[in-house]
Amino acid sequence: MHYQFSPQSNIARSATLVINSQAAALRAAGNIVHNLSVGEALIPTDPVIIAGAKAALDADYTKYTPVAGIASLRQAWRDWMEVSYGGVFDVGETTVTAGGKQALLLLLQILIKAGDEVIIPAPYWVSYPALVQLSGGTARILETTEVDGWKLLPDLFRTAITDRTRILILNSAGNPTGAVYTKDELSALLAIAAAHNIIVISDEVYSSLVYQGEYISCAAFPAYRDSVCIVQSVSKHFGMTGWRVGAVFAPAAITARVQTLESQSTSGAASISQYAALAALSDADRLTTQMRTALQARRDYMVDTCASYGIALSPAPSGLYQFVPLTSFGSSTTDSVAWCSDILARAHVAMVPGIAFGKEGYVRLSFGGEEASIRVAIDALMKNAT
Ligand code: PLP
């Protein structure tokens, strides 16, 4: 059989594949691999959330839900957006999805026409370029710098715009750098986007994990509500990565298409997961404070452990990761895959190479794991770092 594939499925293999398969081979050979590559908080799901899921099971809420999500969850989520970030949406502008990633894919698929350009500031979350390509668009990567706090500057954005630019993907609070945009910074970018008829897809899945200062959502700018789509998720706020529940908040015309596409693809998020998400959002203040406090302690522990080896990290302003130049570990190489692969082979420590996020010469260290495992991993790393 000669298989023929769609051009859009021709997406690049992940730069983390080499590292993942090397780690799998080490584990298969009986080694313990110290994991600084996790993209989630390794913290058990809170009992309130488990109880919500159990109650839904006991009530036999196991059938199809409305495509856009159960009414109580849509209401709770739009309320949470308003109370937490001043983002005012109707329930009708609120769609529950199977995770933040599906929310992004649905938005890109309904908004992109062949040849359209999507601006993505780098370092970016690994999946953005692939999701754009899957949707038939062209990713236009704009490099940001550590000196500028890894943020897209208005001038760079403005000069990169062409007559094919349709979308800007913003990620504040950001993975992998932890960058958090201020109100003025967002306002400047949103004004440029609106002036050029560009939709801003604002990925805010880490919004509750901000360790200093106030979090400003792109939903907090009523003047730009027609050009902004917000992506949310319970994954990071509540440590619910496996439940697969996200959300889109968008203008009514966009929401209608998102829901039609969702109805013809997944038919919505899993029923039990939606009730679990409802339980989480109903106790959001306590749960997000608990999560933020735990992760801030893990971040500080990682920073202190590195400091004990003479490595100064500036604490990530948000999220789950420290994004660190290889020079901090005494390495002059810029080849992040080779460096990670070498450390994995010698120290059995798994990390994500910077190139997976579009930035060579850096590595992403996750502090999602427990302090004891962070300690063992950093100790092993430092014994072998060059
Ligand atoms: N956006 C960012 C920046 C992420 O880091 C992730 C997951 O790691 C997602 C979106 C997707 O999260 P989920 O699909 O679990 O909601």
Side-chain angles (χ1 to χ4, degrees), residues 146 149-150 174 176-180 209-212 295-307 311-325 365 367:
E146 191 164 5
W150 301 115
T177 66
V180 180
L209 299 179
V210 173
Y211 305 120
Q212 56 249 350
L295 289 172
Q296 183 162 357
R298 291 181 184 189
R299 177 202 66 169
D300 292 346
Y301 187 80
M302 175 176 272
V303 170
D304 290 347
T305 307
C306 286
I311 294 176
L313 305 182
S314 42
S318 72
L320 287 169
Y321 320 101
Q322 289 289 148
F323 198 55
V324 186
L365 276 54
F367 49 84

Side-chain angles (χ1 to χ4, degrees), residues 65-276:
T65 71
V67 170
I70 55 174
S72 48
L73 177 57
R74 292 170 77 199
Q75 180 72 46
W77 220 330
R78 62 88 37 223
D79 290 351
W80 180 79
M81 279 299 291
E82 182 167 2
V83 170
S84 309
Y85 306 125
V88 181
F89 295 92
D90 290 340
V91 171
E93 296 170 313
T94 304
T95 308
V96 178
T97 60
K101 192 181 266 186
Q102 195 206 9
L104 286 161
L105 183 61
L106 291 171
L107 282 170
L108 292 168
Q109 291 208 320
I110 62 139
L111 289 170
I112 290 177
K113 301 188 305 308
D116 284 353
E117 284 178 4
V118 177
I119 291 185
I120 303 175
Y124 46 72
W125 179 47
V126 284
S127 294
Y128 295 148
L131 291 170
V132 167
Q133 192 184 335
L134 268 174
S135 308
T138 304
R140 180 87 197 280
I141 309 296
L142 299 185
E143 302 268 346
T144 66
T145 64
E146 191 164 5
V147 176
D148 292 328
W150 301 115
K151 294 183 200 177
L152 176 62
L153 300 182
D155 279 349
L156 180 58
F157 178 35
R158 197 180 292 108
T159 50
I161 293 171
T162 71
D163 53 8
R164 309 197 118 187
T165 310
R166 296 282 171 273
I167 296 171
L168 164 67
I169 301 183
L170 264 190
N171 179 209
S172 173
N175 174 7
T177 66
V180 180
Y181 285 69
T182 65
K183 188 171 186 183
D184 287 349
E185 289 164 347
L186 289 177
S187 174
L189 295 173
L190 290 172
I192 296 168
H196 291 85
N197 214 22
I198 292 170
I199 299 277
V200 176
I201 297 180
S202 183
D203 179 343
E204 305 188 355
V205 305
Y206 290 92
S207 57
S208 69
L209 299 179
V210 173
Y211 305 120
Q212 56 249 350
E214 191 192 2
Y215 180 75
I216 306 292
S217 164
C218 282
F221 300 83
Y224 303 119
R225 82 185 311 285
D226 287 352
S227 53
V228 170
C229 303
I230 307 290
V231 170
Q232 269 293 353
S233 168
V234 297
S235 287
K236 316 289 172 170
H237 306 317
F238 307 111
M240 293 178 68
T241 44
W243 298 83
R244 311 307 306 133
V245 182
V248 175
F249 300 89
I254 292 179
T255 298
R257 295 227 173 193
V258 163
Q259 292 177 4
T260 304
L261 183 56
E262 188 172 22
S263 77
Q264 297 290 19
S265 47
T266 57
S267 299
S271 62
I272 301 303
S273 293
Q274 291 190 57
Y275 285 98

Side-chain angles (χ1 to χ4, degrees), residues 371-383:
E371 290 178 6
S373 51
I374 291 175
R375 174 97 234 173
V376 176
I378 301 284
D379 285 348
L381 167 61
M382 291 317 302
K383 276 197 202 93

